[in-house]
Amino acid sequence: MREIVLDTETTGLDPKTGDRLIEIGGIEIINRIPTGVEFHRFINPERNVPMEAQNVHGISTEFLIGKPLFREVYRDFLAFIGDDILVIHNAQFDVNFLNHELGLVGEKPLSFDRVVDTLALARRRHPAGPNSLDALCKRYGIDTSQRTKHGAIVDSLLLAEVYVELLGERQATFGLQTIGSGAATSERRNGKRAAAKPRPEPLPSRLTEADLVAHRSFIEKMGAKAIWNRFWGAVTS
Protein backbone atom coordinates (compact mmCIF):
# COMPACT_ATOMS: atom_id res chain seq x y z
CA MET A 1 0.00 0.00 0.00
CA ARG A 2 1.36 3.39 -1.01
CA GLU A 3 1.05 6.34 1.37
CA ILE A 4 2.58 9.81 1.36
CA VAL A 5 3.95 11.29 4.58
CA LEU A 6 3.64 15.04 4.15
CA ASP A 7 4.65 18.27 5.86
CA THR A 8 4.62 21.97 4.99
CA GLU A 9 6.14 25.19 6.25
CA THR A 10 4.36 28.54 5.99
CA THR A 11 4.70 32.26 6.65
CA GLY A 12 2.23 32.04 9.52
CA LEU A 13 -0.85 30.36 10.92
CA ASP A 14 -3.79 31.33 8.72
CA PRO A 15 -4.08 31.50 4.93
CA LYS A 16 -7.25 33.56 5.31
CA THR A 17 -5.18 36.45 6.66
CA GLY A 18 -2.62 36.31 3.86
CA ASP A 19 -0.20 33.65 5.05
CA ARG A 20 1.25 31.40 2.34
CA LEU A 21 3.06 28.12 1.81
CA ILE A 22 6.83 28.33 1.55
CA GLU A 23 7.88 24.66 1.63
CA ILE A 24 6.34 21.29 0.81
CA GLY A 25 8.04 18.01 1.65
CA GLY A 26 6.75 14.50 1.24
CA ILE A 27 8.12 10.96 1.24
CA GLU A 28 6.65 7.81 -0.27
CA ILE A 29 6.13 4.79 1.98
CA ILE A 30 5.08 1.36 0.76
CA ASN A 31 3.59 -0.88 3.44
CA ARG A 32 4.84 1.69 5.98
CA ILE A 33 8.47 1.44 4.76
CA PRO A 34 10.13 4.53 3.15
CA THR A 35 11.16 3.85 -0.44
CA GLY A 36 13.50 6.80 -0.86
CA VAL A 37 11.14 8.52 -3.32
CA GLU A 38 10.64 12.12 -2.20
CA PHE A 39 9.04 15.40 -3.24
CA HIS A 40 10.56 18.64 -1.95
CA ARG A 41 10.03 22.23 -3.08
CA PHE A 42 10.67 25.65 -1.60
CA ILE A 43 8.07 28.14 -2.79
CA ASN A 44 8.19 31.91 -3.24
CA PRO A 45 5.18 33.20 -1.24
CA GLU A 46 5.25 36.62 -2.92
CA ARG A 47 5.35 38.24 0.51
CA ASN A 48 7.72 38.56 3.45
CA VAL A 49 8.35 35.85 6.03
CA PRO A 50 7.77 37.25 9.55
CA MET A 51 10.63 36.81 11.98
CA GLU A 52 8.50 34.74 14.38
CA ALA A 53 7.89 32.22 11.59
CA GLN A 54 11.54 32.32 10.49
CA ASN A 55 12.59 31.50 14.05
CA VAL A 56 10.60 28.25 13.79
CA HIS A 57 11.73 26.95 10.41
CA GLY A 58 14.77 29.07 9.56
CA ILE A 59 13.49 30.04 6.10
CA SER A 60 13.98 33.73 5.32
CA THR A 61 12.37 36.09 2.82
CA GLU A 62 15.74 36.50 1.10
CA PHE A 63 16.21 32.74 0.72
CA LEU A 64 12.88 32.41 -1.09
CA ILE A 65 13.62 35.09 -3.67
CA GLY A 66 13.90 33.35 -7.02
CA LYS A 67 12.24 30.15 -5.83
CA PRO A 68 9.29 28.92 -7.97
CA LEU A 69 5.74 30.07 -7.33
CA PHE A 70 3.14 27.54 -6.22
CA ARG A 71 1.49 27.66 -9.64
CA GLU A 72 4.79 26.46 -11.11
CA VAL A 73 5.08 23.38 -8.87
CA TYR A 74 1.55 22.24 -8.06
CA ARG A 75 1.23 19.89 -11.03
CA ASP A 76 4.35 18.02 -9.95
CA PHE A 77 3.01 17.89 -6.40
CA LEU A 78 -0.36 16.48 -7.46
CA ALA A 79 1.35 13.92 -9.69
CA PHE A 80 3.53 12.83 -6.76
CA ILE A 81 0.69 12.32 -4.28
CA GLY A 82 -1.66 10.77 -6.84
CA ASP A 83 -4.79 9.40 -5.18
CA ASP A 84 -2.94 7.87 -2.26
CA ILE A 85 -3.42 8.36 1.48
CA LEU A 86 -1.75 11.43 2.99
CA VAL A 87 -0.20 11.02 6.46
CA ILE A 88 0.11 14.41 8.16
CA HIS A 89 0.65 15.60 11.74
CA ASN A 90 -1.99 18.18 12.68
CA ALA A 91 -3.48 17.68 9.23
CA GLN A 92 -6.05 20.47 9.46
CA PHE A 93 -3.28 23.05 9.37
CA ASP A 94 -1.38 21.67 6.37
CA VAL A 95 -4.43 20.72 4.32
CA ASN A 96 -6.00 24.15 4.85
CA PHE A 97 -2.88 25.79 3.43
CA LEU A 98 -2.61 23.34 0.54
CA ASN A 99 -6.26 23.76 -0.36
CA HIS A 100 -5.97 27.53 -0.20
CA GLU A 101 -3.05 27.44 -2.64
CA LEU A 102 -4.82 24.92 -4.88
CA GLY A 103 -7.88 27.16 -4.94
CA LEU A 104 -5.77 30.10 -6.10
CA VAL A 105 -4.70 28.11 -9.18
CA GLY A 106 -8.18 26.78 -9.88
CA GLU A 107 -7.64 23.23 -8.65
CA LYS A 108 -10.11 21.24 -6.57
CA PRO A 109 -9.26 20.84 -2.87
CA LEU A 110 -7.77 17.78 -1.26
CA SER A 111 -10.38 15.70 0.55
CA PHE A 112 -9.93 15.02 4.25
CA ASP A 113 -11.30 11.54 3.54
CA ARG A 114 -7.87 10.57 2.22
CA VAL A 115 -5.94 12.02 5.17
CA VAL A 116 -4.58 10.22 8.24
CA ASP A 117 -3.96 12.76 11.01
CA THR A 118 -1.21 11.39 13.24
CA LEU A 119 -2.01 14.02 15.87
CA ALA A 120 -5.48 12.51 16.23
CA LEU A 121 -3.93 9.02 16.40
CA ALA A 122 -1.52 10.20 19.08
CA ARG A 123 -4.27 11.81 21.15
CA ARG A 124 -6.22 8.56 21.15
CA ARG A 125 -3.20 6.49 22.09
CA HIS A 126 -1.66 8.99 24.55
CA PRO A 127 -4.56 11.08 25.86
CA ALA A 128 -2.39 12.67 28.55
CA GLY A 129 0.04 13.97 25.91
CA PRO A 130 2.17 15.78 25.00
CA ASN A 131 1.71 14.85 21.36
CA SER A 132 3.83 17.25 19.34
CA LEU A 133 6.15 15.63 16.80
CA ASP A 134 9.13 16.38 19.04
CA ALA A 135 7.40 14.86 22.06
CA LEU A 136 6.41 11.72 20.15
CA CYS A 137 9.95 11.26 18.84
CA LYS A 138 11.23 11.50 22.42
CA ARG A 139 8.57 9.07 23.64
CA TYR A 140 9.52 6.48 21.02
CA GLY A 141 13.29 7.03 21.14
CA ILE A 142 13.52 8.37 17.57
CA ASP A 143 16.74 10.24 16.82
CA THR A 144 16.12 13.95 16.13
CA SER A 145 19.75 15.06 16.16
CA GLN A 146 19.56 16.15 12.50
CA ARG A 147 16.60 18.44 13.24
CA THR A 148 17.82 21.83 14.42
CA LYS A 149 14.68 23.60 13.11
CA HIS A 150 11.40 22.54 11.57
CA GLY A 151 11.78 21.45 7.95
CA ALA A 152 9.30 19.71 5.66
CA ILE A 153 11.47 16.78 4.53
CA VAL A 154 13.17 16.15 7.89
CA ASP A 155 9.82 16.29 9.67
CA SER A 156 8.27 13.93 7.11
CA LEU A 157 11.03 11.38 7.69
CA LEU A 158 10.57 11.61 11.46
CA LEU A 159 6.80 11.39 11.11
CA ALA A 160 7.10 8.20 9.06
CA GLU A 161 8.82 6.57 12.05
CA VAL A 162 6.30 7.98 14.50
CA TYR A 163 3.43 6.74 12.31
CA VAL A 164 4.69 3.16 12.49
CA GLU A 165 4.97 3.45 16.28
CA LEU A 166 1.46 4.86 16.63
CA LEU A 167 0.09 1.94 14.65
CA GLY A 168 2.05 -0.55 16.75
CA GLU A 169 3.98 -1.72 13.70
CA ARG A 170 7.59 -1.29 14.80
CA GLN A 171 8.26 -4.77 13.42
CA ALA A 172 8.24 -4.01 9.72
CA THR A 173 5.77 -5.94 7.63
CA PHE A 174 8.27 -6.22 4.74
CA GLY A 175 5.49 -5.97 2.20
CA LEU A 176 3.34 -8.74 3.68
CA GLN A 177 0.56 -6.42 4.76
CA THR A 178 -2.09 -5.36 2.25
CA ILE A 179 -4.82 -2.96 3.26
CA GLY A 180 -7.83 -1.72 1.36
CA SER A 181 -9.78 -4.58 -0.19
CA GLY A 182 -12.59 -6.35 1.62
CA ALA A 183 -10.91 -9.68 0.97
CA ALA A 184 -7.69 -8.51 2.59
CA THR A 185 -9.60 -7.20 5.61
CA SER A 186 -11.44 -10.51 5.94
CA GLU A 187 -8.19 -12.46 5.77
CA ARG A 188 -6.65 -10.35 8.53
CA ARG A 189 -9.66 -10.94 10.75
CA ASN A 190 -9.21 -14.67 10.22
CA GLY A 191 -5.58 -14.44 11.30
CA LYS A 192 -4.18 -14.60 7.78
CA ARG A 193 -2.18 -12.14 5.76
CA ALA A 194 -2.98 -11.29 2.19
CA ALA A 195 -0.23 -11.92 -0.33
CA ALA A 196 1.71 -8.80 -1.25
CA LYS A 197 1.18 -7.39 -4.70
CA PRO A 198 4.37 -6.96 -6.72
CA ARG A 199 5.53 -3.38 -7.29
CA PRO A 200 4.49 -2.29 -10.83
CA GLU A 201 8.00 -1.03 -11.52
CA PRO A 202 11.14 -2.02 -9.57
CA LEU A 203 12.74 0.76 -7.56
CA PRO A 204 15.81 2.07 -9.39
CA SER A 205 19.20 1.22 -7.91
CA ARG A 206 20.87 4.03 -5.99
CA LEU A 207 24.32 2.65 -6.76
CA THR A 208 26.27 4.64 -9.30
CA GLU A 209 28.94 3.20 -11.59
CA ALA A 210 31.52 4.97 -9.42
CA ASP A 211 30.13 3.18 -6.34
CA LEU A 212 30.50 -0.20 -8.07
CA VAL A 213 34.06 0.56 -9.17
CA ALA A 214 35.02 1.67 -5.65
CA HIS A 215 33.48 -1.45 -4.13
CA ARG A 216 35.28 -3.76 -6.56
CA SER A 217 38.56 -2.00 -5.77
CA PHE A 218 37.93 -2.53 -2.05
CA ILE A 219 37.19 -6.24 -2.55
CA GLU A 220 40.35 -6.70 -4.58
CA LYS A 221 42.38 -5.45 -1.60
CA MET A 222 40.86 -8.24 0.53
CA GLY A 223 42.52 -10.92 -1.55
CA ALA A 224 41.37 -14.09 -3.30
CA LYS A 225 39.73 -15.56 -0.18
CA ALA A 226 37.24 -12.73 0.25
CA ILE A 227 33.71 -14.11 0.47
CA TRP A 228 32.52 -11.53 -2.06
CA ASN A 229 34.42 -13.40 -4.75
CA ARG A 230 31.81 -16.15 -4.61
CA PHE A 231 29.35 -13.67 -6.05
CA TRP A 232 31.55 -11.47 -8.23
CA GLY A 233 33.82 -14.19 -9.59
CA ALA A 234 37.57 -14.50 -9.22
CA VAL A 235 39.46 -11.26 -8.65
CA THR A 236 41.95 -10.62 -11.38
CA SER A 237 45.27 -9.16 -10.40
Side-chain angles (χ1 to χ4, degrees):
M1 177 179 65
R2 183 179 191 261
E3 298 169 288
I4 302 298
V5 184
L6 192 67
D7 187 53
T8 67
E9 299 299 339
T10 69
T11 64
L13 300 177
D14 190 352
K16 294 180 181 178
T17 60
D19 286 314
R20 303 289 301 274
L21 276 180
I22 58 175
E23 185 184 13
I24 304 175
I27 67 169
E28 177 190 71
I29 59 176
I30 302 290
N31 294 325
R32 312 280 156 69
I33 301 173
T35 66
V37 177
E38 300 176 352
F39 177 92
H40 186 216
R41 299 288 190 280
F42 289 106
I43 299 167
N44 183 346
E46 300 181 279
R47 56 152 292 171
N48 70 303
V49 180
M51 185 54 65
E52 54 266 31
Q54 185 177 330
N55 288 339
V56 173
H57 47 58
I59 303 172
S60 67
T61 303
E62 292 73 24
F63 174 79
L64 295 171
I65 295 174
K67 297 296 186 291
L69 305 178
F70 183 79
R71 64 173 175 266
E72 296 173 314
V73 305
Y74 79 91
R75 291 185 180 86
D76 290 340
F77 169 69
L78 292 177
F80 173 73
I81 65 174
D83 296 322
D84 296 302
I85 293 171
L86 306 178
V87 180
I88 308 173
H89 199 69
N90 191 16
Q92 187 79 41
F93 178 88
D94 299 84
V95 174
N96 281 348
F97 268 94
L98 287 165
N99 283 345
H100 177 76
E101 297 286 352
L102 288 169
L104 293 177
V105 296
E107 284 288 333
K108 64 181 181 180
L110 301 174
S111 171
F112 278 93
D113 292 341
R114 64 183 292 193
V115 175
V116 173
D117 188 350
T118 50
L119 179 57
L121 291 178
R123 285 171 173 169
R124 287 197 294 269
R125 185 160 186 181
H126 309 295
N131 289 309
S132 67
L133 182 58
D134 281 332
L136 290 168
C137 286
K138 184 176 181 180
R139 178 188 293 273
Y140 292 126
I142 296 170
D143 181 15
T144 61
S145 60
Q146 300 301 312
R147 185 186 192 240
T148 56
K149 289 184 180 291
H150 288 266
I153 278 292
V154 172
D155 284 3
S156 294
L157 291 166
L158 293 174
L159 183 57
E161 294 191 64
V162 167
Y163 181 43
V164 171
E165 294 283 3
L166 288 172
L167 296 176
E169 296 181 2
R170 164 57 72 180
Q171 298 301 320
T173 60
F174 296 106
L176 295 178
Q177 185 180 46
T178 302
I179 297 177
S181 69
T185 303
S186 176
E187 286 188 353
R188 288 197 307 279
R189 288 174 180 169
N190 292 330
K192 301 177 182 179
R193 280 180 172 171
K197 295 181 180 179
R199 187 178 179 87
E201 295 181 8
L203 291 175
S205 173
R206 290 189 167 190
L207 294 175
T208 66
E209 188 60 31
D211 293 331
L212 295 173
V213 170
H215 183 62
R216 184 177 291 277
S217 176
F218 175 77
I219 296 304
E220 288 177 350
K221 294 177 182 178
M222 297 173 67
K225 294 184 178 180
I227 192 171
W228 281 98
N229 292 333
R230 300 178 187 177
F231 305 97
W232 282 33
V235 176
T236 57
S237 58

